[in-house]
PDB file of all heavy atoms in Angstrom:
ATOM      1  N   CYS A 146      80.329 138.444 145.375  1.00 96.00           N
ATOM      2  CA  CYS A 146      78.977 138.206 144.859  1.00 96.00           C
ATOM      3  C   CYS A 146      78.339 139.539 144.497  1.00 96.00           C
ATOM      4  O   CYS A 146      78.450 140.513 145.249  1.00 96.00           O
ATOM      5  CB  CYS A 146      78.142 137.495 145.924  1.00 96.00           C
ATOM      6  SG  CYS A 146      76.466 137.061 145.405  1.00 96.00           S
ATOM      7  N   GLU A 147      77.653 139.589 143.349  1.00 93.00           N
ATOM      8  CA  GLU A 147      76.994 140.823 142.934  1.00 93.00           C
ATOM      9  C   GLU A 147      75.626 140.981 143.592  1.00 93.00           C
ATOM     10  O   GLU A 147      75.056 142.067 143.602  1.00 93.00           O
ATOM     11  CB  GLU A 147      76.823 140.857 141.411  1.00 93.00           C
ATOM     12  CG  GLU A 147      75.787 139.888 140.879  1.00 93.00           C
ATOM     13  CD  GLU A 147      75.456 140.085 139.406  1.00 93.00           C
ATOM     14  OE1 GLU A 147      75.893 141.090 138.819  1.00 93.00           O
ATOM     15  OE2 GLU A 147      74.767 139.219 138.845  1.00 93.00           O
ATOM     16  N   ASN A 148      75.106 139.892 144.141  1.00 92.00           N
ATOM     17  CA  ASN A 148      73.745 139.903 144.657  1.00 92.00           C
ATOM     18  C   ASN A 148      73.685 140.489 146.062  1.00 92.00           C
ATOM     19  O   ASN A 148      74.437 140.084 146.946  1.00 92.00           O
ATOM     20  CB  ASN A 148      73.191 138.468 144.666  1.00 92.00           C
ATOM     21  CG  ASN A 148      71.683 138.446 144.597  1.00 92.00           C
ATOM     22  OD1 ASN A 148      71.018 139.277 145.210  1.00 92.00           O
ATOM     23  ND2 ASN A 148      71.137 137.497 143.856  1.00 92.00           N
ATOM     24  N   VAL A 149      72.781 141.425 146.258  1.00 91.00           N
ATOM     25  CA  VAL A 149      72.589 142.029 147.579  1.00 91.00           C
ATOM     26  C   VAL A 149      72.067 140.987 148.568  1.00 91.00           C
ATOM     27  O   VAL A 149      72.374 141.041 149.758  1.00 91.00           O
ATOM     28  CB  VAL A 149      71.592 143.209 147.488  1.00 91.00           C
ATOM     29  CG1 VAL A 149      71.330 143.804 148.864  1.00 91.00           C
ATOM     30  CG2 VAL A 149      72.125 144.279 146.543  1.00 91.00           C
ATOM     31  N   HIS A 150      71.289 140.040 148.061  1.00 93.00           N
ATOM     32  CA  HIS A 150      70.714 138.984 148.901  1.00 93.00           C
ATOM     33  C   HIS A 150      71.137 137.612 148.369  1.00 93.00           C
ATOM     34  O   HIS A 150      70.358 136.945 147.671  1.00 93.00           O
ATOM     35  CB  HIS A 150      69.188 139.082 148.920  1.00 93.00           C
ATOM     36  CG  HIS A 150      68.664 140.400 149.389  1.00 93.00           C
ATOM     37  ND1 HIS A 150      68.766 140.819 150.695  1.00 93.00           N
ATOM     38  CD2 HIS A 150      68.053 141.410 148.716  1.00 93.00           C
ATOM     39  CE1 HIS A 150      68.232 142.023 150.815  1.00 93.00           C
ATOM     40  NE2 HIS A 150      67.798 142.406 149.630  1.00 93.00           N
ATOM     41  N   PRO A 151      72.352 137.179 148.670  1.00 97.00           N
ATOM     42  CA  PRO A 151      72.770 135.849 148.202  1.00 97.00           C
ATOM     43  C   PRO A 151      71.799 134.789 148.721  1.00 97.00           C
ATOM     44  O   PRO A 151      71.354 134.859 149.873  1.00 97.00           O
ATOM     45  CB  PRO A 151      74.163 135.674 148.819  1.00 97.00           C
ATOM     46  CG  PRO A 151      74.630 137.057 149.125  1.00 97.00           C
ATOM     47  CD  PRO A 151      73.400 137.833 149.478  1.00 97.00           C
ATOM     48  N   HIS A 152      71.479 133.836 147.874  1.00 97.00           N
ATOM     49  CA  HIS A 152      70.455 132.867 148.257  1.00 97.00           C
ATOM     50  C   HIS A 152      70.555 131.595 147.429  1.00 97.00           C
ATOM     51  O   HIS A 152      71.247 131.551 146.412  1.00 97.00           O
ATOM     52  CB  HIS A 152      69.058 133.474 148.055  1.00 97.00           C
ATOM     53  CG  HIS A 152      68.804 133.828 146.621  1.00 97.00           C
ATOM     54  ND1 HIS A 152      69.132 135.061 146.092  1.00 97.00           N
ATOM     55  CD2 HIS A 152      68.292 133.107 145.583  1.00 97.00           C
ATOM     56  CE1 HIS A 152      68.823 135.083 144.802  1.00 97.00           C
ATOM     57  NE2 HIS A 152      68.316 133.904 144.471  1.00 97.00           N
ATOM     58  N   ILE A 153      69.835 130.601 147.888  1.00 97.00           N
ATOM     59  CA  ILE A 153      69.655 129.357 147.144  1.00 97.00           C
ATOM     60  C   ILE A 153      68.171 129.273 146.795  1.00 97.00           C
ATOM     61  O   ILE A 153      67.322 129.224 147.692  1.00 97.00           O
ATOM     62  CB  ILE A 153      70.056 128.129 147.989  1.00 97.00           C
ATOM     63  CG1 ILE A 153      71.515 128.230 148.435  1.00 97.00           C
ATOM     64  CG2 ILE A 153      69.816 126.842 147.205  1.00 97.00           C
ATOM     65  CD1 ILE A 153      71.904 127.204 149.493  1.00 97.00           C
ATOM     66  N   THR A 154      67.854 129.304 145.515  1.00 97.00           N
ATOM     67  CA  THR A 154      66.458 129.123 145.108  1.00 97.00           C
ATOM     68  C   THR A 154      66.109 127.644 145.262  1.00 97.00           C
ATOM     69  O   THR A 154      66.779 126.782 144.701  1.00 97.00           O
ATOM     70  CB  THR A 154      66.245 129.573 143.651  1.00 97.00           C
ATOM     71  OG1 THR A 154      66.475 130.982 143.563  1.00 97.00           O
ATOM     72  CG2 THR A 154      64.823 129.269 143.187  1.00 97.00           C
ATOM     73  N   ILE A 155      65.068 127.381 146.026  1.00 97.00           N
ATOM     74  CA  ILE A 155      64.667 125.999 146.295  1.00 97.00           C
ATOM     75  C   ILE A 155      63.567 125.541 145.343  1.00 97.00           C
ATOM     76  O   ILE A 155      63.641 124.464 144.751  1.00 97.00           O
ATOM     77  CB  ILE A 155      64.176 125.850 147.754  1.00 97.00           C
ATOM     78  CG1 ILE A 155      65.276 126.271 148.732  1.00 97.00           C
ATOM     79  CG2 ILE A 155      63.724 124.414 148.022  1.00 97.00           C
ATOM     80  CD1 ILE A 155      66.545 125.446 148.647  1.00 97.00           C
TER      81      ILE A 155
END
Side-chain angles (χ1 to χ4, degrees):
C146 183
E147 71 170 350
N148 205 321
V149 177
H150 303 290
H152 62 271
I153 301 169
T154 295
I155 302 299

